């Protein structure tokens, strides 16, 4: 049995059930004047049918689960660091500001994801922060918050 | 005669100093995007879309269109020199282009690719001029049922050609359609799936979704393992193809142009499939098919012409019907709408400066690319040598800025990050992202057309089958979708996708 396919189909099934439940709370209208719930409910039902087909195909499948050819270990840590950095950057940009935030982000990414020396990381962060401040806030007037520095 | 007058008017718009500057910036950024693996035209368009908010509409579209077709030129450079396709439309070019480079014929490969692209670009502009206004006039007969059926046809083709299982692609389309319902209901104004999050009131932003799915997910995929950066050192000399090269390439360029343009018009085909079709055709027509893959110039000339012609072709339904054929044209459509323009049959009549200005700029841009690209090849190769740890950090930063500046809303960046994770999972599980993006764009239009059709017909779904144009589109779409039940679909689809590797 192809377990990945089974899990995927169950995810889609759950998602379609939730969609149908949420859509059914909206006004359905009539067929001659469909309401806001009609279209999402239809999509939810179609998704449910499709996920059931995938589920049936998966449990009937005699093909063994595919083995990944790469022997290299996946560096989950890098993915977590990038997503966390993006979230922190975003949530703090109003207070700390674009320039400092960009410097911290680039320094962190250079130091942690594919580790560089402190000197390279800090220099890379500094150059990128100043250059992007010039391009986006000065030349393109993108109005990204200046935060602590306030200029 | 009217067409010539309109075209001259278009050139007068496209050749103003400001528009020339935007066109130049667009093709330059496009080429850079094509060169860099991992940043495709959709992500670049999303990043630059907010920058165009302060710019006149015609300049904005000229800039964004330049990125789209500029990427086709850039993609071939990396395919030929380093065997890394900068974007999907240049995958086929790797097969023979890289082998030519290994044999010391990188120059003619790059040369024929640039000249082929230029010829294809020029012909596609002419075809666009002839076809788009005619199609727009025809589309004035379209009502909501015809639009709905046409969109079903487009999504069916995209699903049929998607990588992996058709059912998986259909599930992704459903997800995209569902994401398109988030926000205020367009007909009644009542909120749907908002959960008291004000950011979702205007719906899920296309820019955030595209940047997440194509930009962040690619970075995540690259940093999960050690990124190997291999540059094949070769001396590039003699960029001008010789007489024999031209003799062997002119047929493939002509066929690639026609195939690319007409397949590009079909919603769902986008620019990738025509390159595979062109390669398969050239191999089939060749007197020495066994040599394909070892460095024959026809294998470069055909697909490279096809992808550039397809870029022009994709603009036909977008400009004349208001229907995008892929992720990149979906963003272009979004840009037109942000600028208060109504893409569709009335665009040519209501905003002739935009339509004709953009069409003329395609030709101007192609000339710029031909003049620029060959001398700049050395620079692009140097950029490819920039270590990936610098590149990915910059890509992450640009992704953040691109999603933030659309509305200056931090939560948009969170949404982008979320879609980055979703895109990463989709790539790991072999789901394709393009159907999701197209469904997200077409979703609200489809819902609108469906509900208006039902109101018109007083609830009868027969309206989709009793009107001839609608019936044709819908039956064609359903036949494509269900054809695997009757045909040996796998072989046909694999043939199209693999290009007979």
């Amino acid at each position: 049995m192809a377990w990945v396919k089974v899990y995927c189909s169950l995810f889609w099934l759950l998602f379609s059930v939730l969609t149908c439940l949420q859509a059914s709370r909206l006004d359905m209208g009539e067929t001659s004047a469909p309401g806001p719930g009609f279209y999402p409910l239809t999509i939810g039902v179609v998704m449910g049918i499709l996920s059931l087909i995938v589920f049936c195909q998966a449990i009937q499948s005699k093909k063994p689960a595919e083995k990944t050819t790469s022997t290299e270990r996946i560096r989950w840590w890098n993915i977590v660091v990038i997503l966390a950095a993006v979230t922190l950057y975003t949530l703090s940009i109003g207070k700390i500001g674009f320039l400092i935030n960009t410097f911290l982000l680039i320094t962190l990414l250079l130091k942690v994801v594919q580790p560089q020396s402190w000197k390279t990381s800090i220099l890379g962060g500094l150059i990128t922060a100043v250059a992007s401040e010039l391009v986006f806030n000065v030349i393109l007037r993108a109005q990204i918050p200046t935060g602590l520095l306030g200029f | 005669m009217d067409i010539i007058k309109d075209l001259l008017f278009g050139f007068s718009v496209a050749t103003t100093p400001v528009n020339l500057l935007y066109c130049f910036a667009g093709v330059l950024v496009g080429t850079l995007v094509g060169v860099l693996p991992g940043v495709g035209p959709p992500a670049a368009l999303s990043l630059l879309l907010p920058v165009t908010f302060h710019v006149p509409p015609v300049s904005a579209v000229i800039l964004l269109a330049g990125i789209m077709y500029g990427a086709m030129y850039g993609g071939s450079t990396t395919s030929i020199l380093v065997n890394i396709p900068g974007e999907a439309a240049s995958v086929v070019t790797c097969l023979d282009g890289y082998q030519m480079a290994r044999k010391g014929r990188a120059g003619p490969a790059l040369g024929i690719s640039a000249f082929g692209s230029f010829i294809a670009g020029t012909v596609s502009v002419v075809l666009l001029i002839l076809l788009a206004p005619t199609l727009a006039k025809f589309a004035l007969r379209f009502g909501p049922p015809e639009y709905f059926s046409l969109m079903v046809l487009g999504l069916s083709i995209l699903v049929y050609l998607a990588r992996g299982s058709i059912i998986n692609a259909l599930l992704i389309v459903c997800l995209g359609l569902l994401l398109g319902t988030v926000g205020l209901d367009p007909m009644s104004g009542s909120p749907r799936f908002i959960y008291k999050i004000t950011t979702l009131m205007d719906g899920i932003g296309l820019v955030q979704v595209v940047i997440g799915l194509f930009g962040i997910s690619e970075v995540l995929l690259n940093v999960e393992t050690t990124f190997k950066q291999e540059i094949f050192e070769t001396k590039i000399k003699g960029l001008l193809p010789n007489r024999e090269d031209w003799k062997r390439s002119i047929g493939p360029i002509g066929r690639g142009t026609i195939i690319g343009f007409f397949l590009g018009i079909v919603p769902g085909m986008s620019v990738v499939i025509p390159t595979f079709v062109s390669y398969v055709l050239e191999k089939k027509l060749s007197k020495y098919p066994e040599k394909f893959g070892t460095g024959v110039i026809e294998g470069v000339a055909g697909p490279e012409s096809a992808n550039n012609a397809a870029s022009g072709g994709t603009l036909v339904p977008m400009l004349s019907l208001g229907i995008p054929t892929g992720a990149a044209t979906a963003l272009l459509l979004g840009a037109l709408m942000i600028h208060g323009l109504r893409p569709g049959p009335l665009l040519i009549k209501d905003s002739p400066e935009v339509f004709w200005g953009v069409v003329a700029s395609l030709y101007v841009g192609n000339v710029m690319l031909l003049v620029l690209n060959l001398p700049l090849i050395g620079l692009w190769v140097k950029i490819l040598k920039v270590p990936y740890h610098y590149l990915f950090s910059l890509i992450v930063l640009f992704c953040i800025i691109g999603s933030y500046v659309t509305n200056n809303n931090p939560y948009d960046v969170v949404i982008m990050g979320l879609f980055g994770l979703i895109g990463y999972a989709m790539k790991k599980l072999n789901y394709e992202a393009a159907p999701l993006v197209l469904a997200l764009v077409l979703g609200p239009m489809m819902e609108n057309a469906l509900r208006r059709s039902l109101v018109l017909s007083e609830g009868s779904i027969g309206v989709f089958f009793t009107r001839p144009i609608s019936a044709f589109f819908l039956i064609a779409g359903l036949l494509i979708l269900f054809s695997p039940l009757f045909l040996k679909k796998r072989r046909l689809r694999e043939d199209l996708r693999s290009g007979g590797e």
Side-chain angles (χ1 to χ4, degrees):
Chain A
M1 201 159 36
W3 284 106
V4 177
K5 265 188 160 185
V6 173
Y7 293 137
C8 284
S9 65
L10 289 175
F11 165 81
W12 287 115
L13 193 62
L14 183 70
F15 190 76
S16 68
V17 170
L18 286 173
T19 303
C20 291
L21 281 175
Q22 293 292 313
S24 61
R25 289 183 186 173
L26 300 164
D27 176 24
M28 284 296 138
E30 295 161 21
T31 44
S32 58
F38 168 77
Y39 183 68
L41 183 72
T42 312
I43 298 168
V45 171
V46 173
M47 279 176 99
I49 296 168
L50 292 170
S51 51
L52 280 174
I53 297 173
V54 178
F55 181 75
C56 293
Q57 282 178 340
I59 55 169
Q60 282 172 358
S61 168
K62 285 172 185 162
K63 247 172 46 178
E66 282 173 28
K67 282 178 187 170
T68 49
T69 46
S70 171
T71 51
E72 201 169 347
R73 200 167 53 88
I74 290 177
R75 300 174 177 184
W76 294 108
W77 180 241
N78 281 351
I79 293 166
V80 174
V81 167
I82 290 176
L83 290 174
V86 168
T87 313
L88 281 175
Y89 182 98
T90 310
L91 298 178
S92 61
I93 195 165
K95 286 179 184 164
I96 298 176
F98 181 58
L99 195 68
I100 299 177
N101 249 4
T102 303
F103 166 71
L104 293 174
L105 174 84
I106 301 293
T107 309
L108 174 84
L109 292 181
L110 288 176
K111 187 68 202 154
V112 179
V113 179
Q114 283 185 353
Q116 308 299 306
S117 68
W118 274 111
K119 192 180 151 194
T120 312
S121 306
I122 291 173
L123 201 66
L126 207 61
I127 293 170
T128 312
V130 173
S132 36
E133 171 73 22
L134 273 174
V135 172
F136 290 101
N137 269 347
V138 178
I139 300 171
L140 296 173
R141 282 178 248 156
Q143 296 177 332
I144 308 172
T146 45
L148 289 175
L149 296 178
F151 57 82
Chain B
M1 284 312 275
D2 274 353
I3 283 183
I4 295 172
K5 211 174 104 190
D6 290 334
L7 191 61
L8 287 175
F9 168 64
F11 274 106
S12 72
V13 175
T15 50
T16 59
V18 175
N19 286 339
L20 279 176
L21 187 72
Y22 280 110
C23 187
F24 177 75
V27 295
L28 198 69
V29 172
T31 313
L32 179 66
V33 162
V35 167
L36 293 175
V39 196
L45 286 169
S46 315
L47 290 172
L48 280 179
L49 186 59
V51 174
T52 66
F53 289 171
H54 312 289
V55 172
V58 63
S59 309
V61 185
I62 285 174
L63 174 85
L64 297 172
I67 296 174
M68 210 172 82
Y69 57 85
M72 300 301 131
Y73 276 79
S76 59
T77 308
T78 48
S79 291
I80 292 165
L81 294 179
V82 288
N83 204 21
I84 299 172
E87 35 79 49
S90 301
V91 170
V92 188
T93 311
C94 287
L95 301 175
D96 282 283
Y98 184 61
Q99 291 306 324
M100 281 182 75
R102 290 194 78 93
K103 288 176 180 168
R105 301 202 71 228
L110 289 164
I112 206 69
S113 151
F115 286 115
S117 296
F118 176 73
I119 294 168
T122 307
V123 175
S124 76
V125 170
V126 176
L127 292 173
L128 175 67
I129 291 165
L130 295 175
L131 218 63
T134 317
L135 193 62
K137 273 182 199 153
F138 178 65
L140 286 171
R141 291 188 218 164
F142 285 19
E146 283 77 16
Y147 270 105
F148 177 78
S149 304
L150 181 60
M151 287 184 262
V152 170
L153 172 65
L155 286 174
S156 303
I157 296 170
L158 195 65
V159 163
Y160 183 81
L161 294 171
R163 194 176 55 236
S165 138
I166 281 187
I167 298 178
N168 282 350
L170 272 172
L171 279 164
I172 290 295
V173 163
C174 287
L175 178 65
L177 294 176
L178 202 62
L179 290 171
T181 64
V182 175
L184 297 178
D185 172 37
M187 288 179 93
S188 68
S190 51
R192 290 188 296 192
F193 311 117
I194 287 175
Y195 308 107
K196 294 178 184 168
I197 303 168
T198 43
T199 304
L200 296 179
M201 198 74 95
D202 289 332
I204 295 177
L206 178 66
V207 171
Q208 288 73 29
V209 172
V210 175
I211 294 181
L213 288 177
F214 291 94
I216 291 288
S217 71
E218 197 62 38
V219 169
L220 297 181
L221 212 62
N222 283 331
V223 299
E224 69 167 22
T225 51
T226 318
F227 189 80
K228 292 173 191 76
Q229 211 167 5
E230 289 166 6
I231 307 285
F232 171 67
E233 295 290 343
T234 179
K235 277 191 180 164
I236 304 161
K237 50 186 178 184
L239 286 168
L240 292 178
N242 60 31
R243 188 186 284 251
E244 177 63 20
D245 290 334
W246 273 112
K247 209 175 129 191
R248 285 164 59 185
S249 302
I250 203 72
I253 289 173
R255 287 186 287 272
T257 302
I258 301 297
I259 288 169
F261 184 81
F262 286 101
L263 288 185
I265 292 175
V266 181
M269 280 283 184
S270 198
V271 289
V272 183
I273 302 298
T275 60
F276 286 99
V277 176
S278 164
Y279 190 81
V280 174
L281 182 73
E282 291 315 320
K283 197 173 169 180
K284 288 233 170 15
L285 291 177
S286 173
K287 288 175 190 158
Y288 37 85
E290 71 287 350
K291 283 191 181 168
F292 272 68
T294 62
V296 290
I297 202 159
E298 295 93 319
V300 178
E304 276 305 311
S305 310
N307 69 25
N308 235 59
S311 294
T314 57
L315 291 177
V316 175
M318 203 279 282
L319 291 171
S320 56
L321 303 177
I323 291 178
T325 54
T329 41
L331 281 154
L332 218 51
L333 184 88
L336 286 168
M337 283 152 88
I338 286 167
H339 284 279
L341 298 164
R342 276 179 48 208
L346 295 174
L347 180 78
I348 303 174
K349 192 167 159 268
D350 293 346
S351 316
E353 75 289 354
V354 173
F355 179 82
W356 292 106
V358 171
V359 168
S361 83
L362 295 182
Y363 188 73
V364 174
N366 267 297
V367 175
M368 283 182 182
L369 281 164
L370 186 68
V371 176
L372 264 181
N373 258 325
L374 294 177
L376 286 183
I377 281 168
L379 175 73
W380 303 132
V381 175
K382 275 202 181 97
I383 287 176
L384 268 177
K385 288 179 182 171
V386 173
Y388 191 70
H389 50 262
Y390 290 121
L391 272 184
F392 95 82
S393 312
L394 288 176
I395 294 171
V396 171
L397 179 67
F398 291 155
C399 287
I400 294 174
I401 295 170
S403 354
Y404 180 81
V405 294
T406 325
N407 303 310
N408 275 20
N409 182 355
Y411 293 102
D412 278 343
V413 187
V414 177
I415 292 173
M416 181 272 295
L418 191 67
F419 276 94
L421 199 60
I422 292 172
Y424 172 74
M426 281 169 64
K427 278 178 181 154
K428 291 295 244 185
L429 295 166
N430 210 18
Y431 287 94
E432 213 164 322
L436 192 152
V437 175
L438 198 61
L440 175 65
V441 178
L442 294 183
M445 294 188 221
M446 268 181 88
E447 180 182 10
N448 207 7
L450 173 69
R451 284 166 71 181
R452 283 173 60 199
S453 303
L454 289 173
V455 171
L456 275 173
S457 66
E458 294 177 341
S460 163
I461 57 161
V463 71
F464 298 109
F465 296 96
T466 50
R467 296 167 68 129
I469 301 171
S470 163
F472 171 76
F473 288 146
L474 201 58
I475 291 169
L478 294 175
L479 278 177
I480 289 167
L481 213 52
F482 291 105
S483 60
L485 296 175
F486 315 108
L487 299 168
K488 288 180 178 173
K489 56 120 193 190
R490 268 192 194 282
R491 241 192 98 194
L492 183 65
R493 286 174 68 218
E494 292 314 316
D495 272 0
L496 279 175
R497 291 209 67 91
S498 67
E501 278 169 66

